Amino acid sequence: MRDFICDKIKKIKPSGIRRLFDIANEIPDVISLGVGEPDFDTPWHIREEGIYSLNKGRTFYTSNAGLPELREEIAHYMRRKYGISYDPKHEIVLTVGGSEAIDIALRAVLNPGDEVVFPQPCFVSYEPCILLSDGVPVPISLSAETEFRLTPEQLEAAVTPKTKALLISFPNNPTGAVMEREDLEKLVPIIIKNDLLVISDEIYSELSYKAPHVSIASLPGMRERTVVINGFSKSYAMTGWRLGYACAPAQIMEYMVKIHQFGIMSAPTMSQYAAVSALRNGDRDIDMMAASYNQRRRYLMEAFREMQLPCFEPYGAFYVFPDISEFGMGSEEFCTELLKSENVAVVPGNAFGDCGDKHVRISYAYSIEELKEAMTRIARFIGKLRMKTKENSLY
């Protein structure tokens, strides 16, 4: 029998997150700080709206782009939050999570061989999605020295005549880095000069602890060359509802909807009704969850200071990305040994790009009690490593 599998798919590596967590799932008493999923329940008024839609028999397809009233609410949200106007009829699509929105944006614009530049460390799906769209991924390595922010010099150096798009994600998964207005403004002249499209994944936009999030689409000259990706998973604790959205100029959105139409048909109907309630009545839920995450973030930063483990201070999302380079081991080895020694599962930094290999990602979307116990165990593990290093240096 011949090999039926597509060569392109074979070349794509599996997610670097899963291997360790498959092992962790087999071990009792593991504290797992790996999954980027809120530990809050979806707020009741949102769940109630989803239940009500089922009770009313609203169980059929919506239009391909999504419920008109939800698109209206998204347009209103984008205006009041970021000062950007979108036509809900022609410039907004509801998708199955933010990941689908990224996928259809890339597939709508890339021809074979087009290059997409993107900062790393980054969400694990970006590079595979670019490859699946026949694009050429061009990662730009960021570091803690520049607070994991993309600089204009780095962008300028990465762009070639084949570059069609820049894919950015701030607040960032896994580093928690943010790009403030002045950081984004420095990128705009390079983006316009090179006639680039920006795909801006802003799924963590509501989790920005230092200053309100700024969307690059709100800057002069950028709305017409930006696709904004967002969703309900992180802001409203709705990961399992699988609902995201994209906002883009009509001439791009037309083709994104075409791909969505043939691949998905429409996003889940009850999720869309629930999301209407989220946007209309969910601001206080966001504020409550963000305040709790911020408290946990500050606790972790203090814990790392006490351990004397270097960690860039994140101001967004719900991840920390401490530096483990003093131990002289790669991130996978560190995570494997931590799991074996102390039953704590965290994610190797190299899962988010090779430049992340001297870091590990820790999600703080877990209770403060779990975080405290995990920090106790991590401190003990680090103490053992340092003691071992000291002993070896005596011989």
Side-chain angles (χ1 to χ4, degrees), residues 93 95 100-102 104-106 108-109 227-229 246-249 251-261:
V93 62
T95 56
E100 192 219 336
I102 295 164
I104 63 174
L106 289 165
V109 302
V227 178
V228 176
I229 309 292
C247 304
Q251 63 270 29
I252 296 174
M253 183 56 69
E254 176 186 352
Y255 296 97
M256 290 175 63
V257 172
K258 184 189 285 188
I259 300 166
H260 172 76
Q261 177 186 67

Side-chain angles (χ1 to χ4, degrees), residues 287-342:
D287 292 343
M288 179 275 293
M289 287 187 266
S292 180
Y293 292 137
N294 195 19
Q295 178 193 16
R296 304 175 205 187
R297 180 186 72 89
R298 291 198 302 266
Y299 166 72
L300 287 183
M301 290 307 298
E302 182 57 32
F304 291 135
R305 274 191 280 273
E306 288 179 6
M307 288 180 218
Q308 299 183 347
L309 187 68
C311 184
F312 148 80
E313 182 163 3
Y315 288 110
F318 42 56
Y319 307 104
V320 289
F321 206 52
D323 185 332
I324 55 151
S325 55
E326 73 168 281
F327 305 111
M329 55 175 68
S331 58
E332 283 203 30
E333 184 184 0
F334 181 93
C335 292
T336 301
E337 293 303 314
L338 174 62
L339 181 60
K340 285 181 185 173
S341 174
E342 296 290 345

Side-chain angles (χ1 to χ4, degrees), residues 224-244:
E224 59 268 32
R225 58 173 67 249
T226 302
V227 178
V228 176
I229 309 292
N230 211 321
F232 299 86
S233 297
K234 314 299 182 182
S235 305
Y236 300 98
M238 293 176 66
T239 50
W241 298 76
R242 305 312 303 131
L243 192 63

